[in-house]
Amino acid sequence: MSAELYESASAFDAAPHARRFRGKNKKKRWRRAKDAELAVIRLPLDVHDPGTRHRTEDLYSAMWSVKRALQRDARDAVDAYWAGDVRRATDPQAWRLKLGLSRDGMERRAYRHMENSRHLAHHVTKALVMHQADEVFETSVSRHLFADASGRRHGRPKVGRWWDYTRIPGRARSHTAVRKWETFRLHGTLAGHLDAYRHRTLDRTVTTPEQAAALPPEVRVLEQPHQMPTPARPTGRVTTGEVTAKGTPKTRTATWWDHTGPLAVVFTGGADSSRGDLVLPVRLPSGSGRWPRLVHFLNNPDTWHKIDLVRRRDTSAPGGWAYEAQLMVLAGGYASPATKARRQATAALERAGGIDGNVSNLSVVSFPATFDPADGGVEATRIEPSDEELASLAKARRKERGRRRALDRSRRASNPAQYRPSKRQQACADRRQAAGLPARTVAVPRGARAANKAGIPKQAYRRDTLSAGYQLNRARLAEAAATAAAAKDHRARHIAADITADHGANLVVEDCDIRTWYRRWGKALQATTPGRLIAAIGRECEKAGGRMLRASTFTTKLSQTCFCGATVTKTLADRIHACLSCGLIGDRDTVSGALCAHVRLTDPDDPNTGRLDQAQARHTQILFHEGLQEALSSQPQRGARPARGRTHAAAHTRGHPGRGPLLDAMPPPGTGPTLNETRPARKRHKAHVGATGCTDSTPPRRASSVQTSGGHHSIT
């Protein structure tokens, strides 16, 4: 352990006699109720003013330097903790406290960095530094030292990148002291914002936010300028409502708490800052369709709880970054009247369903909760990407590959000394030298990175010179990835709403580790996104008053079991369930989803307690014989097939032009291995060993949807 770490450890030993940073609260500490709901709303901030943008960038730069220093300290302390075998075996808790591997220890490190760096006091406050230390402890140290509920621990703490630093955590407001926000504060009112920026065509009778929220959709409520003016701090003196002994009213100096105009996020700056408050105007949606949501979140300042300052890449924004304040409120999320009605109908829908997820599709089958045909029939739904979605994804991949090639060419052109010529370029140079021709300068070397004998690059990538075009393309690539992720989340929410509306809010899904799928079929999963879909369905079930349970695949073995109780052994290539005992023939995934509806869990929180109710499954097969057979056998029998023999970059032979890796035709069912079975992740024998034997996969084409009397329908 280094001398600095020993010095730090000695400082923690003297903690009882050291300087006190925080005293005891005079009042009882406020705690949020366990059943209290939290919701977050994003408020875009205007940073077009050069001075405001420069101060905001300085704030991020200062907080990034603090976080980087804390991550390095955490890495060194963790290394020392694992190196001390004797002390760790004797008393691990005392050894952690000795090294400062605690929340209080990380906070003291952050204070020490701030005190030693004189310039940080001009930009940040101790409250911001403290919460940054808490975040580093929770995300790096605690997850590495202690296992989670599943028994897994994260790896060694690492130092992040500047481009990944997007959030500055704020401190929650005090709910025991009036007007006490120690970091970012939201001032103003929604009514004041409406008065300041009301649209010229808005009816004069609309004067309150509630009236604006009641307007028909597509009515313009606000007219905000492109560069919003910065609200001014109130001046003068205001009355306090009290009187003196002589009967004169008491007054005090006006502060930001007296501001009732447009909404703005205010940060007081560092202790040594002489530039005043940092004021960031808030830009609200102009259409009346968004105002019910604004009224829900912003019309009651007593529910405001905490603000985090967040930035995201935006090539069209000044400086390349768009800033927003994420306001956390002590209330539930907003739901439109139509959404509330749909969830009430879902809660009243008494059905029991099961979900079978794999790489190529998601199959959902549900029955009446009483398993009585008189109360309803069998409903089956298959979720898979359409041809349009697959074509759009293929186009996005081509564009992404083009941007990455452009980035590589730009880096090589700006740093030609750090790359070697390719074999073709070297052969051309040798031929010119043999012919006695002058050497030709290679502007863009296409070979490997210049490295030493150990294969380590001679110059780190972060030391390379990057052009303005490189930075612009990199920002566009990051922005496109964020947009695609948001689009996938939006699609998953809509599909989850449709699933719960048809099958109810009580569902059972096989507990599978999707990380295993990504190690083998990463590209195929980008089209289907089964993890997003299952997570979205689970959240929608909870909002509708139900729950999605998870059952272990080892205790249920649904893919190898039939309704009659017989074992139907199938390989990964067999996509059809054909039972020789009862004669049931159906799609493999749909049969597994139907059996999921008959899984019973002794402990709902433990997937290993799930067991298949064979008696109930057999009873269901007898009662729903015709509808069950038709619903399970009408599913399209197609699945993903791994590419063999050649990669996606190989040229197609004449007469077989093909339509790309995502749109190739699928073979008939049962003619080849189909690796889209759900399997839990296997434990690796070594932590550093990567996945081996991975093959590229080709996602399936969308099969035609078939409507049956059993209630089968397909969602794409």
Side-chain angles (χ1 to χ4, degrees), residues 574-615:
D574 299 328
R575 308 313 305 166
I576 299 177
H577 175 90
C579 180
L580 300 179
S581 300
C582 64
L584 178 64
I585 300 177
D587 179 74
R588 172 188 183 141
D589 304 327
T590 312
V591 172
S592 297
L595 289 175
C596 265
H598 299 81
V599 173
R600 305 292 179 262
L601 285 87
T602 307
D603 184 2
D605 297 326
D606 187 5
N608 294 325
T609 61
R611 297 294 186 275
L612 177 62
D613 191 347
Q614 294 283 2

Side-chain angles (χ1 to χ4, degrees), residues 322-519:
Y323 297 89
E324 62 184 23
Q326 293 191 358
L327 173 64
M328 182 183 298
V329 297
L330 298 176
Y334 171 75
S336 64
T339 301
K340 292 180 180 179
R342 176 179 53 79
R343 290 175 178 172
Q344 290 177 359
T346 300
L349 192 63
E350 298 180 356
R351 297 188 66 86
I355 304 176
D356 180 80
N358 54 45
V359 177
S360 61
N361 59 75
L362 204 71
S363 300
V364 187
V365 182
S366 65
F367 303 87
T370 58
F371 291 96
D372 187 356
D375 297 332
V378 184
E379 294 287 342
T381 304
R382 188 183 187 92
I383 305 170
E384 54 188 359
S386 62
D387 291 342
E388 293 78 8
E389 291 176 337
L390 294 177
S392 176
L393 181 60
K395 182 179 179 181
R397 286 179 178 173
R398 290 193 299 269
K399 184 177 294 186
E400 181 183 1
R401 286 195 298 269
R403 286 175 176 171
R404 292 191 179 277
R405 292 194 188 100
L407 288 178
D408 184 67
R409 288 193 300 268
S410 178
R411 181 184 286 269
R412 290 174 180 271
S414 301
N415 306 271
Q418 304 304 324
Y419 292 90
R420 299 171 182 172
S422 63
K423 294 182 179 180
R424 185 174 182 179
Q425 291 174 336
Q426 186 63 40
C428 181
D430 295 341
R431 288 195 300 268
R432 292 183 64 88
Q433 183 179 5
L437 299 176
R440 180 179 297 174
T441 303
V442 179
V444 182
R446 301 176 182 176
R449 183 85 174 185
N452 55 19
K453 295 182 179 179
I456 301 175
K458 296 181 179 179
Q459 176 176 296
Y461 284 89
R462 65 178 182 273
R463 306 291 184 186
D464 289 352
T465 302
L466 303 179
S467 63
Y470 182 93
Q471 297 177 2
L472 180 61
N473 287 334
R474 180 174 57 183
R476 288 176 176 173
L477 190 63
E479 186 178 355
T483 302
K488 291 177 181 178
D489 290 337
H490 185 73
R491 171 180 175 268
R493 288 193 298 267
H494 277 268
I495 292 179
D498 295 338
I499 289 297
T500 54
D502 295 336
H503 300 277
N506 298 307
L507 302 174
V508 180
V509 64
E510 290 182 323
D511 185 32
C512 303
D513 198 329
I514 302 182
R515 296 175 302 173
T516 308
W517 308 354
Y518 272 97
R519 285 200 293 265

